Amino acid sequence: MAGELPEIFARVAGLLLTEPVVDRAVANLAQAAHESLPGSVGAGGTLIDAQGRPTSTASTNSLVKQADRLQYDLGEGPCLTAWASAQPVRVDDLRYDQRWPKWAGASAPLGLLSCISVPLLVPDVTGSGALEPIGALKVYADRAHAFDARSEQVLSLLAGPAALILSNLQTRERAAQLSESLKGALHSRSLIDMAKGALMERLQMNERDALQVMINRARTEKLLLSVVALGIIEPAADLDPQAP
């Protein structure tokens, strides 16, 4: 396994660096984790916000998806513990592990007996050198004691650079979403200003009255103000200035 690690890391880094979408990058990471640990029947990756809510999740099969979903619904389990504690968590035999009784009981029918969850850690924003968990990477097995300390080390090493790449992807994605939101807001503002000007010229009214006409129409017809504005600007629009 030691000799394979550089190849695994290079492949995972290549997959993540060429993937522009966070959800697909998490899915690639989960698949790589599954393939990297013998005995694994499936793996998953989860990005978690500061309130403990999953924001991006991926799993290699339905068993992992169900096991993870139970953790989120019940608010307990190895994945959430690894994230909250910023420490790896290993379960050797779920039948005798008492740390998460609700999750263990609910997931027992799935036949998963052991797992490893490791946190996805990135430097915190203060620059203090501390590490902040942004999620967790986990693998599951259907037999007890499927993983050992070496397996835990491999998964932790895999999670290290992956967390940094995923964090950068998240930042880029949020910036892109913000940019689109700003573009939308600016476009709406421009439409409204153009529509006000059209009404002021067409109906010989001041700016305040023109805006009030648009607001009244938006309320009456339950439309966005920008939609009303677009209707005014279009040649076919016919807006009654006396509309309530």
Side-chain angles (χ1 to χ4, degrees):
M1 177 65 71
E4 297 175 3
L5 284 179
E7 181 182 342
I8 292 170
F9 295 157
R11 183 167 62 87
V12 171
L15 285 172
L16 298 184
L17 287 170
T18 57
E19 180 52 73
V21 180
V22 171
D23 287 345
R24 291 205 296 266
V26 175
N28 287 340
L29 177 60
Q31 185 62 40
H34 170 48
E35 294 173 1
S36 299
L37 290 183
S40 165
V41 296
T46 305
L47 297 181
I48 302 173
D49 66 17
Q51 287 71 47
R53 299 170 301 200
T55 58
S56 295
T57 63
S59 52
T60 57
N61 56 47
S62 61
L63 281 177
V64 174
K65 185 175 183 179
Q66 292 177 69
D68 282 351
R69 175 49 57 190
L70 286 170
Q71 292 191 61
Y72 311 143
D73 292 345
L74 296 171
E76 66 171 38
C79 168
L80 293 178
T81 298
W83 165 76
S85 67
Q87 295 291 330
V89 174
R90 191 170 89 233
V91 178
D92 292 324
D93 194 334
L94 189 57
R95 294 169 296 185
Y96 305 107
D97 198 305
Q98 302 300 313
R99 285 175 287 183
W100 315 281
K102 290 187 292 184
W103 178 73
S107 62
L110 301 177
L112 299 173
L113 295 180
S114 55
C115 69
I116 302 175
S117 296
V118 299
L120 294 165
L121 300 171
V122 297
D124 71 9
V125 294
T126 66
S128 66
L131 293 176
E132 176 184 6
I134 62 168
L137 179 64
K138 50 278 172 101
V139 292
Y140 293 90
D142 57 3
R143 63 182 178 84
H145 300 278
F147 308 116
D148 55 17
R150 178 59 178 161
S151 307
E152 188 177 310
Q153 181 186 24
V154 169
L155 198 62
S156 295
L157 289 171
L158 186 62
L164 292 173
I165 297 170
L166 289 173
S167 180
N168 288 334
L169 275 178
Q170 274 189 315
T171 300
R172 279 178 14 211
E173 201 166 85
R174 286 170 186 154
Q177 290 170 351
L178 178 60
S179 176
E180 288 303 313
S181 296
L182 289 174
K183 286 179 184 177
L186 290 172
H187 180 62
S188 295
R189 183 72 261 170
S190 178
L191 286 176
I192 292 168
D193 288 341
M194 290 172 62
K196 281 192 302 183
L199 282 181
M200 290 166 65
E201 180 180 357
R202 188 186 309 166
L203 303 174
Q204 298 299 303
M205 57 175 55
N206 61 35
E207 182 179 358
R208 184 185 63 184
D209 290 342
L211 179 59
Q212 192 59 53
V213 167
M214 295 165 61
I215 291 173
N216 289 343
R217 176 60 64 87
R219 288 174 177 169
T220 301
E221 300 184 5
K222 295 182 173 56
L223 296 172
L224 293 173
L225 195 57
S226 57
V227 174
V228 172
L230 184 61
I232 295 169
I233 296 167
E234 290 178 347
D238 182 15
L239 184 63
D240 181 359
Q242 303 304 317

